[in-house]
Amino acid sequence: MNQGLNHPPPKRESDAEASRIAPRSGSLSERARAAAAPAAYLAGLNHEQRLAVETTEGPVLVLAGAGTGKTRVLTTRIAHLIATGRARPSDILAVTFTNKAAREMKARVGMLAGPAAEGMPWLGTFHAISTKILRRHAELVGLRSDFTILDVDDQIRLLKQVLQAANLDEKRWPARQLASHIDGWKNRALGPDQVPHGEAAAFANGRGAELYRHYQERLKILNAADFGDLLTETIRLFREHPDVLAQYQQRFRYMLVDEYQDTNVAQYLWLRLLAQGREPGHRNLACVGDDDQSIYGWRGAEVDNILRFEHDFPGAVVVRLERNYRSHAHILATASHLIAHNEGRLGKTLRTDDEPGEKVTITGAWDSEEEARLVGEEIEALQAKGHNLSEIAILVRISAQMRELEDRFVQLGLPYRVIGGPRFYERMEIRDALAYFRCVAQPADDLAFERILNTPKRGLGDATVQVLHAHARAARIPLMEAARFIVETEELKPKPRGALRELLSAFSRWSSLIDTTPQTELAEMILEESGYTEMWQKDRSAEAAGRLENLKELVRSLEEFPDLRAFLEHVSLVMDAVENDTEDRVSLMTLHAAKGLEFDTVFLPGWEEGLFPNQRALDESGRAGLEEERRLAHVGITRARRRAKIFFASNRRIHGLWNATIPSRFIDELPEDHVEVTEAPAAFSYGGYGKSRFDEVDSFSSSYATPGWQRAQNRGGFSGGGSRGGFAQGRGGYGGASGSGRGGLLIEGELVAKSSGPASEFAPADRVFHIKFGPGSVAAVDGNKLTVDFDKAGRKMVLDSFVQRQG
DNA sequence: CGGAGCGGGATTTTT
DNA sequence: TCCCGCTCCG
């Protein structure tokens, strides 16, 4: 044992093949020295982390709970492989999901292993690595090595053309929907011929697979690949060309995968193909992930991949990282207790030696406006105590929740920043500018050409596009080339012909400069001469100034690249821009966007049934959907280091209508010992009859996923047994107004109204009166929630305190 | 060809 | 309620 603790037997040394293909980076003496000195990079790792780092041979699954040092393990593992001479940087395949993660990993490996790790050539996203491989062997999958990568916009436009060619009504069969089907199929590595019959039938009367095929054909003609293709075409390459596959199998002696719980079927196959090159016991594949943080099922991630790891890779060592270094004990206990309600999980118990800290707070607000007000007040209070705003985050379930919070922050003059949302390269003006650059660098890029043909307006509308398309298709040439022919004919009216001729000569001019002019200069010239900059200068809308600013930023960012082509390659894969905002502001983002981040204080508003867990997730995916929502809640709580603050409102505006809401079932799943229900100060400044007080629950009235609720729905009658309770409004609220005397449930600041609590005073068939919906009869009772068939308004779910007994 | 007006839809989002 | 995308008309 030359490597110290838990080092596995050096099987590799006896692996003749591996030795042959793997010259070591250091001499024997260097390796021996590295082995003898207790490596500095291992210092400070706990036992499990060290095991995860040092189990280099064979398949390893590292289950890394939130805040347990996952990235540290991953980067240290790479450093360890290099420092011990097991692998050169170029022998290691390290895959991440996002460019951000790849960047961070590169930086951290560099810090640990020094220049030896410089330029890990195979550290990157699935997509970036796939692109690199595909460009080398493009011709084997029917592409040229300079194929373009389509962004979502391009994809949609292309699909619209496919739908039009198929004579389908775009209203009835939207391109977006087809795109999501195709993405789904590609996520599962299904080609047009492998689409299950039933699924193909779901679109355009069974023409789904056919359209998918046409789309793929169009892509090949355009010499283009969409994001899904980057993976599926690589898989096809590997399957159809075993020699190519073998080459990569030999190259990647060690493989690491980050966020394994987020892999989809295609990514799984991709990995498995590469891992299979070795003897089963020597598949050096280390996957790091957390099944409890799998929140991307809706876009194809298969939690199953991680749940099945030991089955897929027999002999796998599973290491659990359960020691949390992030959160105070109350927070951790709360998150753990909540996530324990999930059944589909491998099971981990996070622990910490940290102090208990503050309990997780739960605060009920009257409505979403008040909720926003309370959040704002608490933030101001923290600020007054000297907390940095940048250590505070507000995590919401859906973006629509942000608006009210933002409104409030603006009123308070509280600096905030929204994380996520449209990214830099997704902005219209950036895409337009990039389309110009693409046309200059790749004159055959039809989609780019079409995008800017009439932007800014130059009188080249639909009619012109049709003519160009017809010629291009007939002659099997790119649009720009077709355009060059057409301007020499009488095909177009004089005006558009002149405009087109002018545009073409501009492109010729720019293209001729591409190798001689500095790229920033060329870019500025293009934007200037095309009239694009002028278009925004003339625009008097509020955003115009920002757009011009973005264009400047774009030109500036060009400086970091050797030329325009290199820049375009970067941009097509890296759709994010590095943020360098250092101002002290609170962060506002969705729970999804928060994964991987941490803050001292985390606000979690909107914990209401229907919103969170989100009704749509429940409707679409049933129990699996509920569990994913619960994981989302778990992710939210575990973002907090010192304070987690949960809020719910009793009334929320949805699509402009006020809806009465009930607290999220997740609130009832929190451990009472670690949470505290706080009173909403000044919660009832509304007095009297708030505008939102008497309102319906109708948008949430579709079936809940809990068995009890479904039973109730089916039977139309129901008593007790439900899993959800609720919180009373602090202060007894409107008890007096309701007249139904539910005082027993309205205990100040207490966890009340569990379904096992006092039975409702109402029973099915009772006649009731609702101030808004009028008279109706009770159909079902669940604790303090009634399902009422209103004579005029139909079936609604309401809280019993909103109705009065009649007759 | 381009602006105004209308209807439908409205989680989560990376590459 | 609000936003986007398409249709209709000038």
Side-chain angles (χ1 to χ4, degrees), chain A residues 691-704:
Chain A
K691 64 185 167 202
S692 54
R693 177 160 301 172
F694 300 101
D695 241 317
E696 78 273 36
V697 194
D698 59 355
S699 75
F700 295 158
S701 61
S702 53
S703 68
Y704 285 100

Side-chain angles (χ1 to χ4, degrees), chain A residues 67-87:
Chain A
T68 56
K70 177 195 75 163
T71 312
R72 182 159 184 208
V73 162
L74 219 46
T75 51
T76 309
R77 189 178 162 98
I78 293 173
H80 181 67
L81 289 169
I82 295 168
T84 57
R86 283 184 168 74

Side-chain angles (χ1 to χ4, degrees), chain A residues 136-439:
Chain A
R136 294 185 172 185
H137 313 278
E139 69 290 349
L140 296 179
V141 291
L143 291 167
R144 282 180 277 118
S145 71
D146 64 342
F147 64 83
T148 28
I149 298 165
L150 301 192
D151 64 27
V152 183
D153 268 21
D154 298 329
Q155 198 186 355
I156 297 293
R157 269 182 300 141
L158 191 54
L159 281 170
K160 277 187 180 158
Q161 292 173 14
V162 170
L163 286 166
Q164 265 162 18
N167 264 323
L168 283 163
D169 179 8
E170 268 193 69
K171 274 270 167 61
R172 202 148 163 227
W173 306 108
R176 296 205 161 271
Q177 201 184 324
L178 180 57
S180 82
H181 277 116
I182 291 177
D183 280 346
W185 292 323
K186 287 184 178 176
N187 282 339
R188 289 184 284 151
L190 298 173
D193 302 326
Q194 299 155 314
V195 173
H197 201 72
E199 290 180 46
F203 193 85
N205 306 319
R207 297 177 71 185
E210 167 199 335
L211 295 164
Y212 179 13
R213 187 175 306 109
H214 288 161
Y215 170 66
Q216 291 306 113
E217 285 163 6
R218 290 283 295 138
L219 284 173
K220 287 283 146 40
I221 292 168
L222 289 165
N223 188 34
D226 65 19
F227 281 119
D229 285 341
L230 297 176
L231 289 163
T232 54
E233 292 293 84
T234 305
I235 292 171
R236 193 157 72 85
L237 169 73
F238 286 163
R239 282 186 173 156
E240 292 175 6
H241 301 275
D243 53 318
V244 175
L245 173 62
Q247 192 184 321
Y248 289 98
Q249 286 172 333
Q250 280 166 23
R251 181 190 299 265
F252 301 140
R253 302 182 48 226
Y254 291 90
M255 299 168 51
L256 293 89
V257 186
D258 190 16
E259 307 279 15
Y260 189 64
Q261 78 283 348
D262 288 338
T263 50
N264 60 33
V265 171
Q267 286 153 345
Y268 165 76
L269 292 171
W270 190 101
L271 286 168
R272 207 181 61 179
L273 281 163
L274 285 169
Q276 264 170 352
R278 304 183 167 271
E279 294 295 305
H282 296 253
R283 288 176 184 158
N284 302 326
L285 173 67
C287 294
V288 181
D290 181 359
D291 49 327
D292 292 335
Q293 291 187 65
S294 163
I295 55 175
Y296 286 110
W298 51 273
R299 67 176 194 212
E302 286 281 334
V303 210
D304 244 31
N305 286 347
I306 195 166
L307 300 179
R308 269 194 351 239
F309 188 84
E310 291 177 83
H311 172 261
D312 290 335
F313 299 96
V317 174
V318 178
V319 182
R320 284 180 160 75
L321 304 183
E322 298 177 298
R323 161 94 189 244
N324 174 289
Y325 294 96
R326 179 186 296 156
S327 309
H328 280 170
H330 279 313
I331 293 169
L332 206 58
T334 302
S336 297
H337 194 268
L338 173 69
I339 199 63
H341 288 80
N342 270 8
E343 285 172 26
R345 64 191 290 253
L346 292 165
K348 291 185 300 312
T349 311
L350 292 176
R351 53 171 203 282
T352 178
D353 298 337
D354 212 342
E355 57 180 280
E358 296 174 31
K359 287 188 175 181
V360 173
T361 65
I362 300 168
T363 309
W366 172 247
D367 60 16
S368 41
E369 270 171 32
E370 186 187 62
E371 181 188 61
R373 188 148 26 90
L374 293 173
V375 169
E377 279 163 15
E378 289 209 32
I379 292 173
E380 287 191 316
L382 287 167
Q383 194 179 19
K385 281 193 259 170
H387 290 92
N388 277 141
L389 295 181
S390 56
E391 275 309 332
I392 298 172
I394 303 98
L395 313 183
V396 295
R397 177 62 183 82
I398 61 170
S399 311
Q401 285 174 263
M402 291 185 185
R403 193 194 199 109
E404 269 177 309
L405 290 160
E406 288 188 67
D407 285 351
R408 188 67 200 158
F409 295 163
V410 168
Q411 268 183 33
L412 292 174
L414 190 68
Y416 70 92
R417 108 188 79 214
V418 175
I419 312 259
R423 274 171 302 282
F424 187 71
Y425 291 115
E426 283 171 18
R427 291 163 204 262
M428 187 204 331
E429 67 277 16
I430 300 300
R431 288 193 146 148
D432 288 341
L434 289 172
Y436 272 102
F437 301 163
R438 277 161 64 186
C439 288

Side-chain angles (χ1 to χ4, degrees), chain A residues 433-450:
Chain A
L434 289 172
Y436 272 102
F437 301 163
R438 277 161 64 186
C439 288
V440 172
Q442 310 152 3
D445 194 330
D446 282 2
L447 289 159
F449 186 66
E450 224 184 299

